[in-house]
Amino acid sequence: MSASTSAIAPKASSADIPWNPKVRPHKKPVDWAVDVLIVAIIVAVVFVTIYPLWFVVIASISNAGLVSQGEVILFPKGININGYIKVMQEPRIWIGYRNTILYSVVGTLVNMLVTLPVGFALSRAEFKPRRIILFLFTFTMFFSGGLIPSYLLYKDLGILNTMWVFILPGAVSVYNVIIVRSFFESSIPEELHDAAQIDGLGYFGYFMKIVLPLSSAIIGVIALYYFVAHWNDYFTGLIYIRDQNKQPLQVVLQNILLANQVTTSGGGSSNGQSMIERQQLADSIKYGIIIVSTLPLLVIYPFVQKYFTKGVMIGAVKG
């Protein structure tokens, strides 16, 4: 009986076999070829992305003559830091750093104080005018008064040649408001608001005690967006600031670069070798300026990178 029963028992199918993660399926040659192609594409993309920054780093500490001759490719040659020395000897560089750090920190704080409450208000379905307000916000993304009306407005407001011209006009970014609103709508369960109402919390308490603690990802992303925008703000300082002691770092670095280019092209030396050395020094200063202006952002980014991808995907894709 047992023999006949075992003879007619169904064979175990592949679906009945438990999956073992340590056992990898056998790959065909075409699978290996596809894997190699994917790895090659990834390596190429990474190289194309990283190499320009790496080249600027090695060029800034290499002999400018070797750089201009194309001999500096992967590693520095003829270590030379005269460009950094020249940049750091400028007293204006430290004033520019001080101003830019102040504008970036205060500006980012103001941006967050405005953007987060606005995004929260626009995410509430019971706030009836939200679609009209969002339309008016979006309208400003495509149409503006232009440079001259903006200049006259800032003049009437009395913020020309002050730090507030970097902060108040850009206190809110419509793009960031849309991202924050989408995050609140898609990632904060409405049941939390119902529970907060039962506990006696109003909108302000719900926003401060529940919404913000659950929004660390989007807060990190938006803060990074705003901070980078303030740090790289060159146009505002160029147009609206005349006091040299209030110029941001980007304008100071541009002035240093132009001053050395003018010195190089202006001549003033009968020795041809001296002219070549001036040009090489100007090139070294150029690479040094790039590193000086981007180094703080490169230092900050790793600390917020873990929030970056998560916050962008949640706020943009689901919205």
Side-chain angles (χ1 to χ4, degrees), residues 32-45:
W32 287 107
V34 171
D35 290 346
V36 171
L37 179 61
I38 292 175
V39 171
I41 293 175
I42 294 175
V43 171
V45 171

PDB file of all heavy atoms in Angstrom, residues 32-45:
ATOM      1  N   TRP A  32      25.729  37.228 -18.247  1.00  0.00           N
ATOM      2  CA  TRP A  32      27.036  37.798 -17.891  1.00  0.00           C
ATOM      3  C   TRP A  32      27.361  39.001 -18.772  1.00  0.00           C
ATOM      4  O   TRP A  32      27.912  40.002 -18.298  1.00  0.00           O
ATOM      5  CB  TRP A  32      28.124  36.734 -18.025  1.00  0.00           C
ATOM      6  CG  TRP A  32      28.093  35.706 -16.943  1.00  0.00           C
ATOM      7  CD1 TRP A  32      27.692  34.401 -17.040  1.00  0.00           C
ATOM      8  CD2 TRP A  32      28.478  35.902 -15.584  1.00  0.00           C
ATOM      9  NE1 TRP A  32      27.800  33.761 -15.830  1.00  0.00           N
ATOM     10  CE2 TRP A  32      28.284  34.664 -14.902  1.00  0.00           C
ATOM     11  CE3 TRP A  32      28.968  36.979 -14.857  1.00  0.00           C
ATOM     12  CZ2 TRP A  32      28.559  34.496 -13.559  1.00  0.00           C
ATOM     13  CZ3 TRP A  32      29.242  36.815 -13.506  1.00  0.00           C
ATOM     14  CH2 TRP A  32      29.048  35.589 -12.871  1.00  0.00           C
ATOM     15  N   ALA A  33      27.037  38.919 -20.038  1.00  0.00           N
ATOM     16  CA  ALA A  33      27.317  40.031 -20.951  1.00  0.00           C
ATOM     17  C   ALA A  33      26.525  41.277 -20.555  1.00  0.00           C
ATOM     18  O   ALA A  33      27.051  42.398 -20.565  1.00  0.00           O
ATOM     19  CB  ALA A  33      26.983  39.628 -22.388  1.00  0.00           C
ATOM     20  N   VAL A  34      25.252  41.064 -20.179  1.00  0.00           N
ATOM     21  CA  VAL A  34      24.439  42.204 -19.746  1.00  0.00           C
ATOM     22  C   VAL A  34      24.991  42.809 -18.454  1.00  0.00           C
ATOM     23  O   VAL A  34      25.054  44.038 -18.299  1.00  0.00           O
ATOM     24  CB  VAL A  34      22.972  41.758 -19.564  1.00  0.00           C
ATOM     25  CG1 VAL A  34      22.158  42.875 -18.914  1.00  0.00           C
ATOM     26  CG2 VAL A  34      22.357  41.365 -20.901  1.00  0.00           C
ATOM     27  N   ASP A  35      25.411  41.967 -17.508  1.00  0.00           N
ATOM     28  CA  ASP A  35      25.981  42.471 -16.257  1.00  0.00           C
ATOM     29  C   ASP A  35      27.242  43.282 -16.509  1.00  0.00           C
ATOM     30  O   ASP A  35      27.443  44.352 -15.915  1.00  0.00           O
ATOM     31  CB  ASP A  35      26.294  41.303 -15.318  1.00  0.00           C
ATOM     32  CG  ASP A  35      25.030  40.651 -14.774  1.00  0.00           C
ATOM     33  OD1 ASP A  35      23.957  41.264 -14.900  1.00  0.00           O
ATOM     34  OD2 ASP A  35      25.116  39.527 -14.231  1.00  0.00           O
ATOM     35  N   VAL A  36      28.097  42.771 -17.375  1.00  0.00           N
ATOM     36  CA  VAL A  36      29.332  43.497 -17.696  1.00  0.00           C
ATOM     37  C   VAL A  36      29.013  44.838 -18.345  1.00  0.00           C
ATOM     38  O   VAL A  36      29.634  45.865 -18.039  1.00  0.00           O
ATOM     39  CB  VAL A  36      30.224  42.636 -18.618  1.00  0.00           C
ATOM     40  CG1 VAL A  36      31.405  43.470 -19.129  1.00  0.00           C
ATOM     41  CG2 VAL A  36      30.732  41.404 -17.869  1.00  0.00           C
ATOM     42  N   LEU A  37      28.020  44.865 -19.232  1.00  0.00           N
ATOM     43  CA  LEU A  37      27.635  46.113 -19.893  1.00  0.00           C
ATOM     44  C   LEU A  37      27.094  47.121 -18.885  1.00  0.00           C
ATOM     45  O   LEU A  37      27.445  48.318 -18.929  1.00  0.00           O
ATOM     46  CB  LEU A  37      26.593  45.827 -20.970  1.00  0.00           C
ATOM     47  CG  LEU A  37      26.073  47.048 -21.742  1.00  0.00           C
ATOM     48  CD1 LEU A  37      27.216  47.737 -22.476  1.00  0.00           C
ATOM     49  CD2 LEU A  37      24.965  46.638 -22.708  1.00  0.00           C
ATOM     50  N   ILE A  38      26.267  46.656 -17.954  1.00  0.00           N
ATOM     51  CA  ILE A  38      25.703  47.563 -16.942  1.00  0.00           C
ATOM     52  C   ILE A  38      26.798  48.137 -16.052  1.00  0.00           C
ATOM     53  O   ILE A  38      26.829  49.342 -15.771  1.00  0.00           O
ATOM     54  CB  ILE A  38      24.647  46.812 -16.105  1.00  0.00           C
ATOM     55  CG1 ILE A  38      23.434  46.473 -16.975  1.00  0.00           C
ATOM     56  CG2 ILE A  38      24.229  47.650 -14.898  1.00  0.00           C
ATOM     57  CD1 ILE A  38      22.404  45.625 -16.256  1.00  0.00           C
ATOM     58  N   VAL A  39      27.731  47.271 -15.607  1.00  0.00           N
ATOM     59  CA  VAL A  39      28.830  47.745 -14.769  1.00  0.00           C
ATOM     60  C   VAL A  39      29.694  48.749 -15.526  1.00  0.00           C
ATOM     61  O   VAL A  39      30.120  49.775 -14.964  1.00  0.00           O
ATOM     62  CB  VAL A  39      29.674  46.556 -14.275  1.00  0.00           C
ATOM     63  CG1 VAL A  39      30.937  47.047 -13.577  1.00  0.00           C
ATOM     64  CG2 VAL A  39      28.866  45.670 -13.339  1.00  0.00           C
ATOM     65  N   ALA A  40      29.946  48.477 -16.801  1.00  0.00           N
ATOM     66  CA  ALA A  40      30.758  49.397 -17.601  1.00  0.00           C
ATOM     67  C   ALA A  40      30.080  50.758 -17.733  1.00  0.00           C
ATOM     68  O   ALA A  40      30.737  51.814 -17.634  1.00  0.00           O
ATOM     69  CB  ALA A  40      31.012  48.794 -18.985  1.00  0.00           C
ATOM     70  N   ILE A  41      28.761  50.761 -17.938  1.00  0.00           N
ATOM     71  CA  ILE A  41      28.038  52.031 -18.057  1.00  0.00           C
ATOM     72  C   ILE A  41      28.081  52.795 -16.736  1.00  0.00           C
ATOM     73  O   ILE A  41      28.299  54.011 -16.710  1.00  0.00           O
ATOM     74  CB  ILE A  41      26.582  51.770 -18.492  1.00  0.00           C
ATOM     75  CG1 ILE A  41      26.554  51.214 -19.921  1.00  0.00           C
ATOM     76  CG2 ILE A  41      25.752  53.045 -18.406  1.00  0.00           C
ATOM     77  CD1 ILE A  41      25.171  50.822 -20.390  1.00  0.00           C
ATOM     78  N   ILE A  42      27.892  52.071 -15.609  1.00  0.00           N
ATOM     79  CA  ILE A  42      27.922  52.731 -14.302  1.00  0.00           C
ATOM     80  C   ILE A  42      29.296  53.332 -14.027  1.00  0.00           C
ATOM     81  O   ILE A  42      29.418  54.471 -13.562  1.00  0.00           O
ATOM     82  CB  ILE A  42      27.528  51.732 -13.198  1.00  0.00           C
ATOM     83  CG1 ILE A  42      26.063  51.316 -13.356  1.00  0.00           C
ATOM     84  CG2 ILE A  42      27.768  52.334 -11.810  1.00  0.00           C
ATOM     85  CD1 ILE A  42      25.631  50.240 -12.378  1.00  0.00           C
ATOM     86  N   VAL A  43      30.341  52.571 -14.315  1.00  0.00           N
ATOM     87  CA  VAL A  43      31.705  53.075 -14.101  1.00  0.00           C
ATOM     88  C   VAL A  43      31.960  54.309 -14.971  1.00  0.00           C
ATOM     89  O   VAL A  43      32.565  55.293 -14.514  1.00  0.00           O
ATOM     90  CB  VAL A  43      32.732  51.968 -14.405  1.00  0.00           C
ATOM     91  CG1 VAL A  43      34.145  52.543 -14.403  1.00  0.00           C
ATOM     92  CG2 VAL A  43      32.625  50.849 -13.383  1.00  0.00           C
ATOM     93  N   ALA A  44      31.490  54.289 -16.214  1.00  0.00           N
ATOM     94  CA  ALA A  44      31.688  55.430 -17.115  1.00  0.00           C
ATOM     95  C   ALA A  44      30.957  56.668 -16.599  1.00  0.00           C
ATOM     96  O   ALA A  44      31.510  57.779 -16.611  1.00  0.00           O
ATOM     97  CB  ALA A  44      31.206  55.075 -18.518  1.00  0.00           C
ATOM     98  N   VAL A  45      29.728  56.472 -16.120  1.00  0.00           N
ATOM     99  CA  VAL A  45      28.960  57.610 -15.605  1.00  0.00           C
ATOM    100  C   VAL A  45      29.624  58.185 -14.360  1.00  0.00           C
ATOM    101  O   VAL A  45      29.738  59.412 -14.207  1.00  0.00           O
ATOM    102  CB  VAL A  45      27.513  57.179 -15.308  1.00  0.00           C
ATOM    103  CG1 VAL A  45      26.764  58.283 -14.567  1.00  0.00           C
ATOM    104  CG2 VAL A  45      26.783  56.825 -16.606  1.00  0.00           C
TER     105      VAL A  45
END
